Amino acid sequence: MRHANLLILTDDAEFARLLSACWQTERQSPRITVLSSDLWEAKGHNVCDLVVIGPLENGKLPSILRSIEPACAVILCVPTESGELTQLRARYPRLVHVPFREDWPRTLVLVAGESLRRAEATKLARQAELRAARSEQYAVLGRYMLEMKHSMNNALTSILGNAELLLLEPGQLSAQSLQQIKTMHSMTLRINEVMQRFSSLASEMREAENASQAETEETPTPVSRRS
C-alpha cells in the first residue's frame, strides 16, 4: 500500500488534516495528495488508485464524480441522504460511502486500505491477463512457423539449388549479376541457419516438456502412516 497513490479531494481543510494525521499513525501509508475542487478542475485528472471525496462546495459533487476515471476506486465521505446515496451507487458501482460518525477517520482508513488492496489485486490481474494474451500471440506465431517450416525449407532448397547452378557457370553472367546471385546465395544460407536453429529450439522445448511431464507422473504419492 505504500506505493499506492491516494487523492483526498475536498474543500474542507480540517477534513484533509484529520485524515492525513490518522494515516500517519499507520505502519504503511500511501502517497497522499490533497486537492480542492478548484485545483482538481484546473489541473485535470490525476493518475491515482483511490480518490477520497470529502465535503465539497455546493453543487460540485456530480461534476467531480463524472470527471473521475471509471476504473478508479472512490470513497465518499460527505453528508448524504439515503435516496441520493442510492442513486450515486447505482450510477457509480465502485463508490463506497463512509458516513460521518464517531471515529470516522479510522473507519475511512480501514476501508481505504481494503479498497487499495482490491485495486492492487485488480491491477495485477489485468497485467497477468495482458501477459497471457501476449504469450498466446507468441504461441500462435510459433505454431504457424512450425506448420510452415516444411514449405519454407522447400523454398530455401529451391533458391539455393538454382543459385548454385548459376554459380557453376559464372562466365555466362555479368559481374553485377554474379555478385547479386552470390548475395542471394549467402542470405539464403543465413535464413536456412535461422530455420535450423528454430527447429532445434522447438525440439529442445518438446524434450524439456516431456521430461517435466515424466517426472510429474513418476513422483510417488506420499503414503500416510497409521499410528
Side-chain angles (χ1 to χ4, degrees):
M1 190 171 70
R2 68 182 60 165
H3 302 299
N5 295 306
L6 181 140
L7 173 65
I8 300 176
L9 182 55
T10 182
D11 294 323
D12 185 342
E14 184 63 12
F15 175 89
R17 187 191 68 79
L18 288 173
L19 191 54
S20 299
C22 186
W23 238 303
Q24 289 174 0
T25 63
E26 297 292 308
R27 289 189 304 170
Q28 294 183 355
S29 63
R31 291 187 288 264
I32 300 175
T33 303
V34 179
L35 287 180
S36 66
S37 59
D38 291 337
L39 286 174
W40 169 266
E41 293 172 352
K43 292 184 64 176
H45 305 169
N46 289 42
V47 177
C48 54
D49 301 299
L50 174 65
V51 178
V52 175
I53 301 178
L56 299 171
E57 293 179 2
N58 290 335
K60 287 196 172 183
L61 179 60
S63 62
I64 291 291
L65 287 173
R66 283 194 298 270
S67 67
I68 296 174
E69 292 293 332
C72 183
V74 179
I75 296 178
L76 186 62
C77 190
V78 298
T80 308
E81 296 181 359
S82 59
E84 182 184 5
L85 182 60
T86 301
Q87 293 177 358
L88 288 173
R89 281 175 172 167
R91 189 176 304 174
Y92 308 100
R94 297 196 64 184
L95 185 143
V96 177
H97 180 246
V98 174
F100 276 115
R101 295 175 182 172
E102 185 179 358
D103 202 21
W104 65 265
R106 176 61 54 189
T107 302
L108 198 152
V109 167
L110 293 175
V111 173
E114 183 60 32
S115 296
L116 287 172
R117 282 187 286 272
R118 187 178 304 174
E120 180 64 18
T122 302
K123 184 188 298 183
L124 292 175
R126 191 178 299 114
Q127 292 174 352
E129 290 174 357
L130 291 174
R131 286 194 296 269
R134 193 177 298 113
S135 297
E136 179 59 26
Q137 292 173 354
Y138 291 150
V140 170
L141 178 60
R143 287 194 294 270
Y144 175 77
M145 291 183 70
L146 283 174
E147 292 171 359
M148 296 301 296
K149 183 180 66 172
H150 183 69
S151 298
M152 178 70 77
N153 286 335
N154 287 341
L156 290 173
T157 300
S158 177
I159 295 172
L160 281 172
N162 283 280
E164 289 171 353
L165 285 175
L166 290 171
L167 291 174
L168 288 175
E169 300 179 357
Q172 299 181 4
L173 302 171
S174 65
Q176 182 179 0
S177 297
L178 182 62
Q179 185 60 40
Q180 290 174 339
I181 292 174
K182 287 182 178 179
T183 300
M184 291 173 56
H185 185 268
S186 176
M187 293 299 101
T188 304
L189 286 174
R190 185 174 299 179
I191 295 173
N192 185 61
E193 291 175 1
V194 172
M195 291 300 299
Q196 292 299 322
R197 179 55 182 158
F198 179 79
S199 299
S200 176
L201 286 173
S203 299
E204 292 172 8
M205 291 174 65
R206 281 195 298 269
E207 291 175 2
E209 183 179 356
N210 292 336
S212 177
Q213 184 176 358
E215 289 178 1
T216 303
E217 293 175 351
E218 293 175 1
T219 301
T221 303
V223 179
S224 58
R225 296 181 178 179
R226 297 182 180 179
S227 54

